[in-house]
Amino acid sequence: MADPNSPSQQLVGAVLNGRWKLVRLLGEGGMGAVFEADGLRGEGKRAIKLLHQEFSKEEQILQRFFAEAQTSQSLNHPNIARVYESARAEDGTPYLVMELLTGQPLSAWIDSGQAISPQQAAPIVYGVLQALHLAHQRRVIHRDMKPDNLFITRDASGEYVVKVLDFGIAKVMDAAGGMGNKTRTGVLLGTPGYMSPEQIKNSKAVDARSDLW
């Protein structure tokens, strides 16, 4: 959820590169803030993820950010949230242009205490596995599979569809040293409750099996 007192809230109304108007803060985490944005050249609505400014001058993080953004753009799959492009704002702040999704993360379902029926759970699990299959074929490891990164939306027929979020972000976090000293939320690389034992021991050496865990 977006914090109404966040400094990121002050960016609502800003226009990036004459193309994207930030109309609403959707949420933020250790690496950046996510906004709903209107395309001013007829692109329609998108989600914009802005890297927090404290990272925008660190070359290693920027190199990894743009490398992982390019990798994410190649993952075109119905169960992966699309990343359309990456760029820098006028002040140099890097950002991603992403698919704007309507729905809620799986974590919201879990937190509500609402039971998930087998009829609902089966297509969610199947969708996640299909997304990971494509990513792993491309040698892309997510490294932070958790309910917060599984977004539940509906397709044109009203059926539930899962979208995997934030491919590559864990590697950017790694470039930031796990963000232990920089993050606003204190998050480390990966989420301990959902990490495989191998990832807890050595996050840099994990392979596709860690995502499946």
Side-chain angles (χ1 to χ4, degrees):
M1 295 293 291
D3 179 357
N5 299 315
S6 166
S8 298
Q9 189 69 48
Q10 299 176 13
L11 295 173
V12 172
V15 176
L16 306 181
N17 301 329
R19 294 187 58 198
W20 306 104
K21 182 175 182 179
L22 307 181
V23 298
R24 183 163 61 103
L25 177 63
L26 299 176
E28 63 182 320
M31 289 303 300
V34 181
F35 298 83
E36 177 185 336
D38 287 333
L40 301 180
R41 301 180 184 175
E43 300 94 341
K45 289 189 174 294
R46 296 286 189 270
I48 300 286
K49 174 171 280 188
L50 276 169
L51 199 66
H52 285 317
Q53 285 193 338
E54 57 258 42
F55 299 110
S56 63
K57 297 183 187 288
E58 300 195 25
E59 195 58 36
Q60 183 184 8
I61 297 174
L62 294 179
Q63 289 178 2
R64 182 57 64 86
F65 178 85
F66 286 113
E68 293 304 319
Q70 185 174 12
T71 299
S72 297
Q73 289 175 56
S74 71
L75 299 178
N76 188 359
H77 189 277
N79 298 112
I80 297 176
R82 289 292 310 275
V83 175
Y84 295 106
E85 61 180 279
S86 57
R88 288 177 184 260
E90 290 87 342
D91 65 355
T93 302
Y95 64 89
L96 300 178
V97 181
M98 306 183 300
E99 177 182 10
L100 179 64
L101 301 173
T102 301
Q104 61 182 345
L106 182 60
S107 57
W109 280 21
I110 295 172
D111 292 343
S112 72
Q114 175 184 352
I116 301 176
S117 69
Q119 292 79 8
Q120 292 172 319
I124 291 172
V125 173
Y126 180 78
V128 171
L129 292 175
Q130 291 298 301
L132 290 177
H133 178 67
L134 172 68
H136 294 164
Q137 281 187 321
R138 305 277 176 85
R139 299 177 182 267
V140 178
I141 311 301
H142 191 288
R143 299 205 296 177
D144 197 19
M145 292 295 299
K146 59 184 179 181
D148 277 339
N149 283 332
L150 303 178
F151 199 88
I152 309 300
T153 185
R154 292 180 183 267
D155 62 17
S157 65
E159 296 296 320
Y160 287 109
V161 176
V162 63
K163 299 271 189 176
V164 181
L165 309 177
D166 282 350
F167 270 99
I169 294 300
K171 283 193 174 182
V172 181
M173 291 166 61
D174 191 24
M179 303 192 309
N181 296 322
K182 294 178 177 292
T183 177
R184 301 178 183 192
T185 59
V187 68
L188 296 175
L189 180 58
T191 305
Y194 296 96
M195 290 165 65
S196 66
E198 294 80 5
Q199 186 173 356
I200 293 174
K201 291 180 180 178
N202 184 359
S203 65
K204 296 182 180 180
V206 298
D207 58 25
R209 293 171 294 181
S210 184
D211 283 348
L212 294 175
W213 167 275

